[in-house]
Amino acid sequence: MYNPQIEAMPRNELKELQLERLRQTVKRCEEMVPFYRKRLRDAGITWKEITSLDDLRRIPFTTKDDLRDNYPFGMFAVPVREIVRIHASSGTTGVPTVVGYTKNDIDMWSELMARALVAGKTEKSDIVQVAYGYGLFTGGLGFHYGVERLGASVIPISGGNTKRQIRMMVDLGTTVLCCTPSYALYMAETAEEMGIDFKELKLKSGIFGAEPWSDRMREKIERILNLSAFDIYGLSEVMGPGVAIECEHKQGLHIFEDAFIPEIIDPDTGEVLSPGKQGELVFTTLTKEGMPLLRYRTRDISSIDEGECPCGRTHVRMRRVSGRTDDMLIIRGVNIFPSQIESVLMNIEGLSPHYQLVVDRVGGLDILEVQVEVTEEMFSDRVRGLEEWEEVIQSEIESYLGISVKITLVEPRTIARSEGKAIRIIDNREI
Ligand code: DLL
């Protein structure tokens, strides 16, 4: 379903298409969504004045709080009777965010997901196991419709029941696995316990996303699961999975620019940053009817690469998301993302990929504890005892981050496994 007419479109044509779609989207927002009508009026702009893509900057940002304030249907740009599907994100802070899709939205989403699957080396002849959760979460159904659109065979197994996942993989000859990277690792561990070697399975591709993961984690997953792993990005507010995906070169994720305009901003000032600079990702949707969004602040940290990609796709790439502005830990003044610690851990040969960060405040001082599970290699290491292992991990992390951390080796299997998004941080500090 690779669509060269769109994915390899010359950039000037792509920009014309974006401008036309942007005008239509702003018009729709202005006419159909009271929230946007007021926002745009207050900012002194109307869709008629959008004559170049640069005019986008005149439009105010939309935030998660705006969606919460308009819960449940206030951001919809069509009457509810035209909405054919509703998803919601659980929202860690209480109020969920609701997203509505028209029939055309589902159609476009399916097409983008089919394109994403092709970028992740999936073909019509493949058997695709969708182990993302089905339900209000967009992962399961988003992938499901994409696989059907592509014409491959989908196993809609959803998340959980890990032994059955492995059985199905063996019995049905799954060739493409779709789940979170942390769940993929959990599956690997379960398969080992079941005496099943991934080298004997037919898996060739894995399409993993919904949470940050590092290149080191990718290497580990590729080695253990014996497949080629692709990073897929998306968020429910903007659509779901399929906003961006890596191609075979794995040098960033191509953003489907016929459907979304990406920007990178300084999260503190809102200033738009130039290509290559790291900041917060912002998206404007270009085709959505049910819930179009103008300059939605994702809180995800990334940067944009406008360089050419040898795959031939002309759509820009975003760097892998390193974390969220709200996941950033500030420990004694130093900003730390869990993914940075993950990269250091994954660089140390023989370590377990299961880790957790615990933050505490003792006597006014923030303490960052990194819990890592002991592995067989550590137990049987004749050169280094466990204490020395702790010291090695500690000095690697400290030299990378520049702050002191506490390392705790914990028994195997004590860090909770995830069948969906992994929880990496336990913050015990009182706010
Ligand atoms: O996680 C959609 C999705 C499903 C994407 C399946 C990929 C695969 P939400 O539950 O709304 O939607 O969570 C969105 O998850 O803002 C990021 O912080 C994070 N996220 C998603 N994909 C990635 C990724 C789905 N590849 C939030 N790398 C986003 C890092 C990711 N973080």
Side-chain angles (χ1 to χ4, degrees), residues 3-175:
N3 184 341
Q5 269 167 354
I6 295 178
E7 286 176 87
M9 194 183 245
R11 291 226 36 103
N12 55 343
E13 282 176 35
L14 183 62
K15 290 198 163 170
E16 271 170 38
L17 178 74
Q18 284 185 323
L19 177 59
E20 190 191 313
R21 291 186 171 174
L22 175 64
R23 279 170 61 86
Q24 287 311 313
T25 299
V26 181
K27 179 169 188 275
R28 172 180 285 273
C29 287
E30 206 171 310
E31 289 173 354
M32 306 300 289
V33 187
F35 161 81
Y36 274 129
R37 192 175 311 134
K38 179 167 182 327
R39 266 288 160 90
L40 292 165
R41 199 191 312 125
D42 290 351
I45 178 154
T46 142
W47 70 273
K48 292 183 195 123
E49 291 162 15
I50 306 237
T51 53
S52 85
L53 287 175
D54 289 339
D55 290 326
L56 180 62
R57 295 187 186 190
R58 295 176 53 199
I59 297 175
F61 296 114
T62 308
T63 64
K64 184 124 187 156
D65 282 341
D66 294 327
L67 306 196
R68 293 214 174 102
D69 293 346
N70 288 284
Y71 177 81
F73 300 148
M75 298 298 284
F76 287 9
V78 294
V80 175
R81 66 173 179 279
E82 283 180 39
I83 295 288
V84 298
R85 172 112 56 92
I86 290 174
H87 281 286
S89 73
S90 55
T92 39
T93 48
V95 187
T97 314
V98 171
V99 198
Y101 303 77
T102 64
K103 193 168 177 310
N104 285 339
D105 291 337
I106 297 286
D107 227 49
M108 184 65 179
W109 187 13
S110 310
E111 176 180 329
L112 295 182
M113 274 308 302
R115 282 198 223 155
L117 285 155
V118 170
K121 292 283 166 228
T122 310
E123 296 164 88
K124 235 171 117 54
S125 53
D126 278 309
I127 297 182
V128 185
Q129 187 157 333
V130 178
Y132 286 105
Y134 279 62
L136 286 178
F137 176 55
T138 51
L141 283 168
F143 269 83
H144 186 103
Y145 274 63
V147 180
E148 287 193 349
R149 171 65 66 92
L150 177 63
S153 316
V154 60
I155 306 175
I157 192 163
S158 191
N161 208 336
T162 311
K163 285 199 172 132
R164 190 179 61 176
Q165 300 268 2
I166 312 284
R167 264 279 64 85
M168 286 281 173
M169 250 179 245
V170 174
D171 294 351
L172 308 186
T174 302
T175 53

Side-chain angles (χ1 to χ4, degrees), residues 89 132 137-139 143 209-213 231-237 240-241 298 300 321 324 421:
S89 73
Y132 286 105
F137 176 55
T138 51
F143 269 83
E211 63 185 7
W213 53 308
D231 190 3
I232 185 164
Y233 169 84
L235 62 167
S236 36
E237 298 90 322
T298 63
D300 291 324
V321 169
R324 293 175 56 78
K421 297 180 192 248

Side-chain angles (χ1 to χ4, degrees), residues 191-416:
E192 198 188 352
E193 282 167 15
M194 292 166 74
I196 288 165
D197 183 356
F198 272 95
K199 305 232 162 35
E200 274 141 39
L201 301 192
K202 295 205 176 122
L203 287 177
K204 58 167 202 188
S205 279
I207 306 190
F208 305 127
E211 63 185 7
W213 53 308
S214 58
D215 271 334
R216 284 292 173 180
M217 179 76 94
R218 186 211 309 271
E219 283 165 25
K220 201 152 215 147
I221 291 178
E222 290 190 328
R223 199 175 58 241
I224 308 178
L225 274 75
N226 195 33
L227 48 68
S228 178
F230 296 86
D231 190 3
I232 185 164
Y233 169 84
L235 62 167
S236 36
E237 298 90 322
V238 168
M239 187 179 75
V243 172
I245 174 106
E246 284 176 329
C247 63
E248 69 269 27
H249 299 285
K250 300 184 185 175
Q251 295 291 320
L253 294 79
H254 290 281
I255 297 170
F256 291 117
E257 279 190 283
D258 52 319
F260 313 102
I261 299 181
E263 294 170 278
I264 295 283
I265 62 162
D266 177 327
D268 297 324
T269 63
E271 180 204 347
V272 177
L273 302 179
S274 46
K277 292 256 164 61
Q278 178 169 289
E280 178 181 349
L281 257 175
V282 170
F283 284 106
T284 299
T285 66
L286 293 177
T287 66
K288 274 176 74 183
E289 298 176 341
M291 205 179 100
L293 288 179
L294 304 178
R295 306 192 83 198
Y296 182 69
R297 290 185 62 159
T298 63
R299 302 187 186 174
D300 291 324
I301 306 290
S302 180
S303 60
I304 301 276
D305 179 356
E306 289 189 345
E308 272 179 34
C309 181
C311 77
R313 287 177 182 79
T314 52
H315 295 199
V316 295
R317 283 164 292 168
M318 56 183 261
R319 279 236 330 256
R320 310 185 75 172
V321 169
S322 54
R324 293 175 56 78
T325 50
D326 42 11
D327 253 5
M328 187 178 76
L329 291 168
I330 305 181
I331 306 289
R332 302 192 291 277
V334 179
N335 299 350
I336 297 166
F337 288 107
S339 60
Q340 293 175 299
I341 295 183
E342 178 179 307
S343 308
V344 178
L345 292 176
M346 298 295 118
N347 255 332
I348 306 174
E349 205 55 46
L351 273 202
S352 152
H354 303 284
Y355 70 95
Q356 196 155 47
L357 311 180
V358 183
V359 193
D360 261 306
R361 184 162 293 159
V362 182
L365 198 67
D366 291 338
I367 308 284
L368 174 61
E369 178 187 349
V370 181
Q371 297 184 342
V372 190
E373 286 183 6
V374 178
T375 57
E376 297 262 324
E377 278 116 308
M378 289 174 165
F379 269 132
S380 51
D381 189 340
R382 283 158 198 248
V383 187
R384 270 188 264 184
L386 290 183
E387 261 174 43
E388 276 123 330
W389 270 98
E390 280 183 356
E391 280 164 22
V392 169
I393 302 170
Q394 185 166 21
S395 85
E396 290 287 325
I397 294 183
E398 288 183 0
S399 69
Y400 185 82
L401 295 178
I403 60 158
S404 62
V405 294
K406 177 178 165 199
I407 305 297
T408 309
L409 292 178
V410 297
E411 294 282 310
R413 293 295 219 151
T414 41
I415 292 173

